[in-house]
Amino acid sequence: MLISSSFGPAAGKDDFVVATDPVRSGVSTWLRLHTYNVRICHWINVIAGGYLLLSGIHIFLDFPELYWGHTGYQGYPAIFKLSDWGISWDEAGEMGNRMWGRNYHFTFAWVFLINGMVYAAWNLWTGHVRDRLWPRRDELSSARLRDELAEQMRWGSPARATATSYGTLQKVSYVLMIFIFVPVMLLTGIAQSPSIAAAWPWLLDLFGGRQSARTLHSIGTVLFVLFVVVHVLEVLAAGAVNRIRAMITGRFRVPEEAQ
Amino acid sequence: MSRMTADLTRTTKPGGAISRRRLLATGCSDAFRPPVIRGGLIGAADVLTMSTTRWLLTDQPLAREYTRADIAPDFPTWGQTNPSDEVYQQHLSEGFANWSLSVGGLVERPRWFSLDELKRLASRTQITAHVCEQGWSAIGEWTGAPLAQVLEAAGGVTPDARYVVFESADGWYESIDMFEVVHPQTILAYRLNGDDLPVGNGAPLRLRVERQCGYKNIKFVSAIRVVDSVAGIRRGTGGLSSDFGFHWYGGV
């Protein structure tokens, strides 16, 4: 039941809860792992991100080609055609509903944006970003990263199940997601809007044109899917029930190996 | 001349910008919300989207204009490319010599314009990107009469004018608000890349509203009507695309 102070830098005496575990004999130790803000923002993000992905796929399927520059239309030289991958234009069109897609994409873009701004403002203010999310200088040495990557590749690694602070790779990927990926997705998204492009023509110059922005936005979608897949696999590897419960209730049962 | 008419005249001068305050003063606070707000979260997002982008456009910037070198080699045709309407086909066979545009509703002198009369109005030529909501975009050189000029030639709009409704020969209709009407790049185009507007692109006349998606750029325009409300027109949402369920505001 002794918990090293390296678990959760913000851990004060109130952060530990000792309770009887009805399943296992004896007593378990619980740790308050995720704040209200992180938990609420996380699940709103799951809903908004899910809708953004689904509606984005619908929009794409209605015009399943990608181009580079300002110009791109059926018959213009494309850099990606879904028909090259065995799904014809007509088949894709039947699967995609761009009206539904547009309505929900722009609705959940607002949900995602407002939620993200609340998350960022709150966690920059409280120091969560600085204390728990931002990688420390010593964590970024190549030797340390190499070790962590090797550890990461072992599916049943015990360190995963007991970890109550973010690993370096986790920190790096979350910081890149929040402060690089999301802003780029936002900007490549709005660069496609004729009204915003009129107000901020530098967006077109930044990405090289509306079609380039659309292509980068689509590549970003693939990266987002990869992120979600790895994230979910990591949760499964690190003890799905305990991890998901912690993200819902905030309380993490410290596994016995760590006690 | 009414206040709004005076504003239309002023604001169509080259380089003229209208302040948000002026638009508000002339009853153009419609600029921040669609004529019909949909229910639920989608409706809230519609208003957020429209008010945010219109706030960014407060100074009425022009949509980017490109050079001749950027013009698409074969400007696409999409959707309706040749209305089967008998009257339209008759006009087409006559080279639109007997075609005319009806301009009515809340204008001081409702009237008809032949194609020649429209071409005699001061014209504007702009090389812009057509941005389709489906995902494609193509650059073309459009020449036409600024919509504000056309309304001015019909005596100007009355003070209660809020929307301009466009009817097309294929039965389509769309509407735009005064914020878009007074914009210098909002033109009724009769030429594409120096030639008469091809049938596939909406001959003889189509709307160019450069800061909105393709679906608002209605083709085959046959009548325009200035109204104080879109209620009572078809399903009452202010356009066929919004009747279907698209957002009335095509700015994103």
Side-chain angles (χ1 to χ4, degrees):
Chain A
M1 247 189 304
L2 264 176
I3 294 180
S4 144
S5 61
S6 70
F7 289 138
K13 64 179 178 352
D14 292 344
D15 290 329
F16 300 95
V17 182
V18 179
T20 308
D21 187 327
V23 179
R24 294 158 187 258
S25 55
V27 171
S28 283
T29 304
W30 296 80
L31 177 67
R32 286 213 177 92
L33 194 59
H34 299 301
T35 64
Y36 267 112
N37 175 274
V38 166
R39 282 180 278 147
I40 292 170
C41 287
H42 174 268
W43 292 111
I44 291 177
N45 236 3
V46 170
I47 296 167
Y51 267 103
L52 280 171
L53 176 63
L54 186 63
S55 56
I57 290 170
H58 270 281
I59 294 170
F60 176 78
L61 285 174
D62 236 343
F63 207 86
E65 289 188 357
L66 296 172
Y67 314 85
W68 198 258
H70 291 273
T71 304
Y73 48 85
Q74 214 177 356
Y76 193 84
I79 59 170
F80 175 86
K81 290 181 172 195
L82 195 59
S83 59
D84 292 343
W85 296 76
I87 300 172
S88 75
W89 190 285
D90 290 341
E91 286 165 344
E94 270 172 41
M95 287 188 281
N97 178 344
R98 74 174 180 282
M99 187 176 82
W100 186 92
R102 286 172 57 82
N103 284 337
Y104 281 86
H105 206 68
F106 304 144
T107 298
F108 282 96
W110 278 111
V111 175
F112 188 83
L113 178 66
I114 294 167
N115 186 55
M117 291 195 315
V118 168
Y119 172 87
W122 185 273
N123 291 294
L124 284 168
W125 175 257
T126 60
H128 178 86
V129 170
R130 186 191 59 227
D131 298 337
R132 300 209 61 187
L133 212 51
W134 209 261
R136 294 190 313 273
R137 193 174 293 270
D138 63 293
E139 287 178 313
L140 290 173
S141 74
S142 57
R144 170 101 186 233
L145 287 173
R146 204 166 43 240
D147 289 350
E148 282 210 27
L149 188 62
E151 179 79 16
Q152 207 75 4
M153 291 299 156
R154 291 170 51 213
W155 178 260
S157 161
R160 255 205 195 86
T162 56
T164 52
S165 62
Y166 296 133
T168 311
L169 294 170
Q170 204 175 4
K171 287 180 175 180
V172 169
S173 62
Y174 288 180
V175 165
L176 288 177
M177 274 312 268
I178 295 166
F179 297 104
I180 306 286
F181 176 82
V182 168
V184 168
M185 282 304 266
L186 181 74
L187 292 176
T188 53
I190 65 175
Q192 298 173 60
S193 147
S195 62
I196 297 176
W200 291 343
W202 54 267
L203 276 174
L204 293 173
D205 299 325
L206 181 62
F207 299 115
R210 184 193 190 224
Q211 293 304 325
S212 309
R214 182 170 179 263
T215 296
L216 292 170
H217 200 71
S218 305
I219 293 169
T221 307
V222 176
L223 295 178
F224 175 72
V225 171
L226 285 176
F227 173 84
V228 171
V229 167
V230 172
H231 180 67
V232 169
L233 285 176
E234 289 286 349
V235 169
L236 293 178
V241 172
N242 205 13
R243 292 289 169 186
I244 295 170
R245 181 175 52 206
M247 193 45 92
I248 296 170
T249 67
R251 298 205 312 168
F252 177 76
R253 194 180 62 74
V254 181
E256 265 146 33
E257 308 89 89
Q259 293 175 26
Chain B
M1 221 163 48
S2 74
R3 205 175 37 163
M4 190 57 165
T5 315
D7 271 1
L8 281 175
T9 320
R10 270 205 301 281
T11 54
T12 49
K13 279 179 188 157
I18 34 175
S19 69
R20 186 168 40 153
R21 194 188 300 129
R22 173 115 60 92
L23 275 171
L24 289 167
T26 54
C28 293
S29 56
D30 297 330
F32 299 101
R33 57 183 157 76
V36 180
I37 298 172
R38 298 190 272 185
L41 207 53
I42 287 180
D46 284 349
V47 175
L48 264 177
T49 299
M50 189 170 165
S51 53
T52 307
T53 60
R54 283 297 177 70
W55 176 70
L56 293 177
L57 295 170
T58 297
D59 296 328
Q60 292 279 25
L62 299 181
R64 168 161 291 181
E65 297 196 4
Y66 296 82
T67 66
R68 285 231 161 89
D70 301 315
I71 291 175
D74 41 357
F75 198 93
T77 59
W78 210 261
Q80 176 63 264
T81 51
N82 191 357
S84 55
D85 176 68
E86 267 179 46
V87 178
Y88 180 81
Q89 288 298 325
Q90 176 73 29
H91 285 310
L92 178 59
S93 68
E94 296 164 356
F96 301 104
N98 299 309
W99 174 92
S100 59
L101 171 77
S102 144
V103 177
L106 301 175
V107 288
E108 299 292 350
R109 294 192 303 277
R111 56 170 287 193
W112 299 78
F113 291 86
S114 70
L115 200 50
D116 279 342
E117 286 173 317
L118 287 171
K119 287 179 177 174
R120 279 201 295 272
L121 295 174
S123 72
R124 191 177 199 286
T125 296
Q126 56 207 33
I127 302 175
T128 51
H130 179 92
V131 170
C132 179
E133 101 290 350
Q134 227 179 334
W136 61 272
S137 49
I139 293 168
E141 183 190 65
W142 305 95
T143 302
L147 178 58
Q149 288 270 351
V150 175
L151 296 176
E152 204 54 49
V157 301
T158 66
D160 41 357
R162 289 170 63 193
Y163 301 101
V164 176
V165 183
F166 303 82
E167 300 276 352
S168 104
D170 65 346
W172 204 277
Y173 83 108
E174 286 295 340
S175 63
I176 58 174
D177 56 4
M178 287 299 161
F179 186 92
E180 226 59 87
V181 172
V182 299
H183 191 252
Q185 283 174 327
T186 301
I187 65 174
L188 290 167
Y190 42 74
R191 244 179 237 137
L192 171 59
N193 298 335
D195 298 321
D196 284 343
L197 196 58
V199 173
N201 298 106
L205 196 68
R206 81 174 297 173
L207 176 67
R208 293 303 311 166
V209 49
E210 302 292 357
R211 299 174 305 176
Q212 297 205 34
C213 286
Y215 67 92
K216 298 298 283 191
N217 292 253
I218 184 169
K219 304 196 282 190
F220 313 106
V221 174
S222 57
I224 67 182
R225 190 149 51 105
V226 182
V227 298
D228 60 353
S229 163
V230 296
I233 303 171
R234 312 263 196 113
R235 285 165 72 175
T237 67
L240 200 58
S241 45
S242 47
D243 283 352
F244 285 150
F246 283 89
H247 186 3
W248 174 85
Y249 174 63
V252 293

